[in-house]
Amino acid sequence: MRSITSRDNPAVKRLHGLATSARDRRSVGQTLLDGAHLVRAALDADWPLRELVVSDQGLAREEVAALVRRCEKLAQLHLTDALFAHVSPVDTPSGVLAVIDLPESAPLEVFDDSLLVLDGVQDAGNLGTILRTAAAAGLRDVLLTAGCAQAWSPRVLRAGMGGHFCLRIHEQVEVAQVLKNYAGQILATGLGAGARIVYDCDLRGPVAWLFGAEGRGLSAEVAALARGMVVIPMPGAVESLNVGAAAAICLFEQVRQRRTSGPA
């Protein structure tokens, strides 16, 4: 393990760039995993790590020390707590980071199972939460339009808590082209005419779920792709749900129906 004490060290500058700059991440084709849980999830999924980075405080914790032992054949850096805070992508440093390569773009295909389409979801926490939910619900593919946050940014990865490693995430997708021959239902949430309560819909077959940005919802282009609209009943005194909550309700209603009755 190599110890570094200077902020001027090229490795520190590189890590700081990965933590703070989407341009730097794209330029070098790498990103950061933050926290012991996420690093362990990557290892458990056999996701290749490039480098492990730990702090003094991190090394004092057994869960981080265990990761150091598990990654003994991997390049490892030891930073002072101050330097680690400088390269940390979050305000409260976790004590352990890992460097991974950005994955190559998964090939687009004719999809025949359920999938998730996210249009302009820019909040890193929401995007990561939705990706984690999609993975938990058993989806394989998630399509992101150009307006979404970078799926492999450290903050989205942290919110995803390992969900990234069991999904095929397609970024910068022209959704209209991809879905033009989709054989299943294409559903959006909303209050338009003809909207059906989601619990009354038959969701046992393939569904392409469309969810939009936190404020404006779906763009007109993506909304026009919907072949049906569903509404989530809300008897309480609120007007709408967070996009992450709405996605979870819809995806797990589909899980429930499939468990109860089997595929259509």
Side-chain angles (χ1 to χ4, degrees):
M1 181 181 293
R2 183 160 65 100
S3 295
I4 296 175
T5 58
S6 171
R7 184 176 288 200
D8 294 327
N9 187 286
V12 172
K13 294 180 178 180
R14 171 175 54 85
L15 292 169
H16 181 71
L18 293 179
T20 60
S21 171
R23 178 179 296 179
D24 282 7
R25 291 191 290 270
R26 287 191 295 266
S27 175
V28 301
Q30 294 180 335
T31 189
L32 295 178
L33 306 181
D34 174 62
H37 177 93
L38 190 54
V39 175
R40 188 166 53 248
L43 291 169
D44 291 345
D46 293 324
W47 199 273
L49 307 185
R50 282 282 190 176
E51 190 174 38
L52 194 70
V53 184
V54 296
S55 69
D56 292 325
Q57 289 185 356
L59 281 176
R61 303 206 315 270
E62 174 54 32
E63 64 175 348
V64 174
L67 289 173
V68 170
R69 294 191 294 269
R70 186 173 176 181
C71 299
E72 61 180 357
K73 296 182 179 179
L74 192 69
Q76 298 183 0
L77 295 180
H78 171 214
L79 306 184
T80 65
D81 289 336
L83 281 183
F84 192 94
H86 175 63
V87 303
S88 173
V90 296
D91 294 335
T92 304
S94 65
V96 61
L97 300 168
V99 179
I100 63 169
D101 291 333
L102 291 173
E104 296 183 4
S105 298
L108 291 170
E109 55 190 55
V110 176
F111 298 104
D112 58 8
D113 201 354
S114 290
L115 56 91
L116 188 62
V117 175
L118 301 179
D119 180 32
V121 178
Q122 297 178 338
D123 181 85
N126 279 342
L127 180 54
T129 297
I130 295 169
L131 292 174
R132 184 183 185 188
T133 299
L139 267 66
R140 184 73 177 110
D141 292 281
V142 180
L143 279 55
L144 277 60
T145 66
C148 287
Q150 188 185 42
W152 293 89
S153 74
R155 289 182 180 272
V156 176
L157 279 158
R158 185 177 176 91
M161 296 294 284
H164 287 68
F165 306 131
C166 46
L167 293 169
R168 292 186 298 190
I169 300 172
H170 312 265
E171 297 188 88
Q172 306 286 320
V173 175
E174 294 290 340
V175 179
Q177 182 68 22
V178 175
L179 293 184
K180 67 178 181 180
N181 295 319
Y182 186 70
Q185 299 183 78
I186 303 177
L187 299 179
T189 58
L191 298 172
R196 297 172 294 161
I197 293 175
V198 67
Y199 307 126
D200 296 336
C201 300
D202 185 349
L203 305 174
R204 293 171 294 166
V207 177
W209 294 98
L210 311 180
F211 291 97
E214 293 80 1
R216 64 180 178 85
L218 292 169
S219 64
E221 177 186 8
V222 175
L225 302 175
R227 299 171 186 164
M229 189 168 292
V230 299
V231 61
I232 299 169
M234 292 181 290
V238 295
E239 294 182 355
S240 63
L241 290 172
N242 170 277
V243 62
I249 290 168
C250 293
L251 293 182
F252 277 92
E253 172 59 16
Q254 185 175 31
V255 169
R256 186 196 67 81
Q257 291 189 20
R258 287 182 167 183
R259 280 180 56 85
T260 301
S261 304

